[in-house]
Amino acid sequence: MQSIDIFPWDDHFNTGIQTIDTQHRKLVAILNSLATKMAYGSHQEGLSGVFDELIEYTLYHFQTEEAIWSKYLADDSLDEEHKSVHQSFIDTALRLKSEQDSKPLSELADDTLGFLARWLASHILDTDRHMSYIVFALQNGKSLEEAKVEAQTQMSGSSRLLINIILSIYSTLSSNTLHLMRELKSHIFFEEKIKYQEKYRQFLFELSVSFINIPLHDLDTAIDEALEKMASFVGADRAYIFVYDVNAQTASNTYEWCGEDIIPQLKVLQELPLSLMPGWYETHSRGEDIFIEDVTALPEGSL
């Protein structure tokens, strides 16, 4: 039985605290085991056993984390907030487990694996990384307030942008893996398409980890290269990134890649009224895609 990794691990996810990193890898391995069993329609007892293992090990991991954070952040609001986040996760995981007998396996997989993969990626890259920065600053002799400011600086600006990019890609990777799981279970897709989906998953994984720990001064170049890779993968001759300005009701092109003989439009595509692209902002705000099969069929006056 081929393993289905809904969360491919990469050492770039390490926080630098060995105990926590080892436990994170174990959590990811259990999650991927659960995904594999769901993909191949394992019987309920097998699923329940892996689910129990995931919850039990998560509780153990949270206890380890909280002991470390409390050692350095005792009575600080960050410590309490972290514990609250942990409890919220456990509550949701237990609720999802309680639904495994009442939901179809496909729906359970979507709800459970999607939530677990997205939460774990955010937990490791965002919350735990922030806390580890504070610990390292304290170990280097900073006061708690100085350590918190230093950690916040490390997590803000371009670093925050990088984290958001990676989490967005991992969310897409998770959704794509769930789609692949449904294909494996239903057996209605051709083998070549399944191979393509697996290739696409691997591409997204490699793209996402390439942004982890990248020097901030290389960010623009990395985004340009990522656009080229994405366009090449799907056979497109151009790729753009736009930023919405909700207050001004405009969208501006911030990054662009063009193939040979394609005229760049970066300087032209600035402060475009959202009225030219009705519904785009709302759709993207929900985390959904927009697919335009034929641009010539777009309403007159729109992009």
Side-chain angles (χ1 to χ4, degrees):
M1 183 167 60
Q2 182 181 357
S3 175
I4 301 294
D5 290 351
I6 194 169
F7 191 129
W9 177 265
D10 186 90
D11 284 342
H12 285 95
F13 280 98
N14 288 337
T15 64
I17 301 176
Q18 185 175 359
T19 302
I20 290 178
D21 293 334
T22 299
Q23 292 183 6
H24 282 164
R25 286 193 291 272
K26 174 69 173 179
L27 277 173
V28 168
I30 298 173
L31 174 59
N32 289 334
S33 175
L34 181 63
T36 300
K37 288 186 177 297
M38 285 187 171
Y40 290 98
S42 296
H43 56 80
Q44 204 67 29
E45 290 183 5
L47 286 177
S48 183
V50 178
F51 220 140
D52 286 340
E53 181 186 8
L54 179 65
I55 292 175
E56 289 172 7
Y57 195 83
T58 300
L59 286 169
Y60 167 68
H61 168 63
F62 285 171
Q63 290 170 358
T64 302
E65 273 194 359
E66 289 170 11
I68 294 174
W69 304 147
S70 294
K71 176 182 177 181
Y72 293 94
L73 298 165
D75 300 323
D76 189 85
S77 60
L78 277 178
D79 188 32
E80 294 304 316
E81 289 172 12
H82 202 76
K83 291 177 181 177
S84 177
V85 169
H86 284 174
Q87 187 58 52
S88 176
F89 172 85
I90 292 297
D91 291 343
T92 303
L94 289 173
R95 176 182 60 78
L96 290 170
K97 183 180 184 302
S98 70
E99 295 173 351
Q100 64 180 334
D101 293 328
S102 59
K103 281 187 175 182
L105 186 58
S106 59
E107 185 178 345
L108 181 67
D110 284 357
D111 292 347
T112 303
L113 297 177
F115 164 74
L116 292 175
R118 288 188 296 270
W119 191 94
L120 191 55
S122 176
H123 174 70
I124 294 173
L125 276 179
D126 196 340
T127 310
D128 283 354
R129 179 161 293 206
H130 179 215
M131 300 291 270
S132 67
Y133 284 154
I134 295 176
V135 169
F136 292 141
L138 289 169
Q139 290 175 343
N140 288 329
K142 298 289 179 66
S143 69
L144 178 56
E145 289 308 312
E146 289 172 336
K148 289 165 71 173
V149 170
E150 182 175 305
Q152 187 60 41
T153 300
Q154 290 175 289
M155 294 292 293
S156 62
S158 297
S159 292
R160 170 56 54 192
L161 174 61
L162 284 175
I163 290 172
N164 289 341
I165 289 172
I166 295 165
L167 291 179
S168 177
I169 293 175
Y170 253 71
S171 178
T172 301
L173 178 62
S174 170
S175 298
N176 186 260
T177 303
L178 291 170
H179 181 65
L180 175 62
M181 289 169 58
R182 286 191 291 270
E183 292 180 359
L184 286 171
K185 187 167 177 58
S186 62
H187 301 293
I188 62 174
F189 286 84
F190 295 106
E191 183 178 350
E192 286 302 313
K193 184 166 184 179
I194 293 178
K195 288 181 179 178
Y196 177 83
Q197 291 287 349
E198 181 59 30
K199 184 179 178 182
Y200 177 54
R201 287 183 62 254
Q202 184 63 30
F203 168 74
L204 286 177
F205 168 63
E206 292 174 356
L207 187 65
S208 64
V209 298
S210 70
F211 279 95
I212 301 176
N213 295 330
I214 191 171
L216 298 183
H217 60 267
D218 291 337
L219 177 59
D220 288 343
T221 300
I223 292 176
D224 288 337
E225 291 175 351
L227 285 177
E228 180 179 4
K229 290 176 182 177
M230 287 186 283
S232 299
F233 186 88
V234 299
D237 56 14
R238 69 199 76 190
Y240 306 98
I241 292 178
F242 279 80
V243 171
Y244 290 115
D245 185 334
V246 182
N247 293 329
Q249 287 292 289
T250 61
S252 296
N253 185 195
T254 53
Y255 293 93
E256 171 189 53
W257 175 82
C258 294
E260 189 176 353
D261 299 327
I262 301 298
I263 300 174
Q265 299 292 317
L266 182 65
K267 294 182 179 180
V268 178
L269 300 176
Q270 300 298 317
E271 298 182 354
L272 302 174
L274 294 188
S275 58
L276 293 177
M277 49 199 93
W280 285 27
Y281 171 72
E282 293 76 12
T283 302
H284 286 147
S285 295
R286 295 192 298 269
E288 299 174 1
D289 300 325
I290 296 174
F291 176 68
I292 301 172
E293 187 171 357
D294 182 1
V295 294
T296 63
L298 287 170
E300 185 176 352
S302 63
L303 289 181

